Amino acid sequence: MQKNSYRYEQSAALLLVEGYPDLSAGHGNEAIGILSAWRLQLIGTPELEGTRDHLESLMTAVMPYARHQLSGVGRRFGANSSFVSIGPMESGPGHQLELRSSREGVEPLQLKLDDADLADLVRCLDRLRLDERVKLTWTIPADQPLKRQDLVDRIPLQRRLAAPILGGFALAATVGVALLQPLPPIGEESAKPMAPGLETAQPDAER
């Protein structure tokens, strides 16, 4: 059976997948229906490899994380019990990618990525996912619209409160200025002398 190998390369990332066509599913000779191995090389990091479950866990964590980052929402993806998790760095810019081995006694590997590294990694994973030669069915959750609360939380509390507070101050200042304006004396209009040459209209009964 023919073994196929495909590369997805960007400036800071190189993803290599290897496998065989699934003849029982009617795949052509150039297809990969059975994944045998994959390797990921990021600049400045050791080469990563694992099973299909590790690769799916990587895609499940990284791709929605990047989508939320584009919308300005910084949150962590991937549970502590999963093979892969990613989130913003606790201090300073960047992203922390944590990979856990399925072998006992192996410490988790933590990698720091900048925005360019993350973008190249996402492009490689996306090209793999959309490659028609790779006939694998990925168990990746479908993209969902961001929750309203996520969009609200991305705005700092100070900025969210600034507009209503400033509006309240402006309204209070307007009311205060209006109260300080002096009112015209009562009867001022009737006390004014009439212009010469004008007579007061007489009631019809006196005519």
Side-chain angles (χ1 to χ4, degrees), residues 84-207:
V84 180
S85 63
I86 185 172
M89 294 292 296
E90 294 182 358
S91 60
H95 319 276
Q96 180 172 296
L97 179 65
E98 186 168 334
L99 303 106
R100 304 174 186 87
S101 175
S102 54
R103 301 174 184 173
E104 294 290 339
V106 178
E107 292 294 326
L109 177 63
Q110 294 183 348
L111 305 177
K112 180 180 178 181
L113 308 179
D114 59 22
D115 291 341
D117 297 333
L118 178 63
D120 285 345
L121 175 58
V122 170
R123 290 190 185 100
C124 289
L125 295 175
D126 208 36
R127 288 176 58 192
L128 168 63
R129 185 173 63 93
L130 299 176
D131 193 343
E132 295 183 354
R133 299 170 300 180
V134 180
K135 304 296 184 180
L136 300 172
T137 301
W138 304 106
T139 57
I140 302 174
D143 292 340
Q144 299 291 334
L146 270 64
K147 297 179 181 179
R148 178 180 177 85
Q149 189 61 39
D150 288 336
L151 297 175
V152 171
D153 290 343
R154 70 177 179 173
I155 304 175
L157 181 61
Q158 295 85 346
R159 289 180 55 189
R160 278 183 275 160
L161 296 178
I165 290 176
L166 291 177
F169 279 135
L171 178 61
T174 302
V175 173
V177 170
L179 293 176
L180 293 176
Q181 293 294 326
L183 296 175
I186 299 177
E188 180 179 352
E189 293 295 332
S190 59
K192 291 182 180 179
M194 297 179 58
L198 296 178
E199 296 182 357
T200 305
Q202 299 295 327
D204 294 341
E206 297 180 0
R207 291 182 181 178

Side-chain angles (χ1 to χ4, degrees), residues 5 13 46 57 77 82-84 114 142 172 188 193 201:
S5 176
S57 183
F77 280 83
S82 62
F83 292 125
V84 180
D114 59 22
E188 180 179 352

Side-chain angles (χ1 to χ4, degrees), residues 15 38 40 48 53-64 83-84 86 97 99 121 125:
L15 176 62
W38 65 272
L40 174 64
L48 308 175
D53 291 338
H54 294 101
L55 182 56
E56 284 190 344
S57 183
L58 180 66
M59 298 170 73
T60 301
V62 170
M63 299 184 74
F83 292 125
V84 180
I86 185 172
L97 179 65
L99 303 106
L121 175 58
L125 295 175

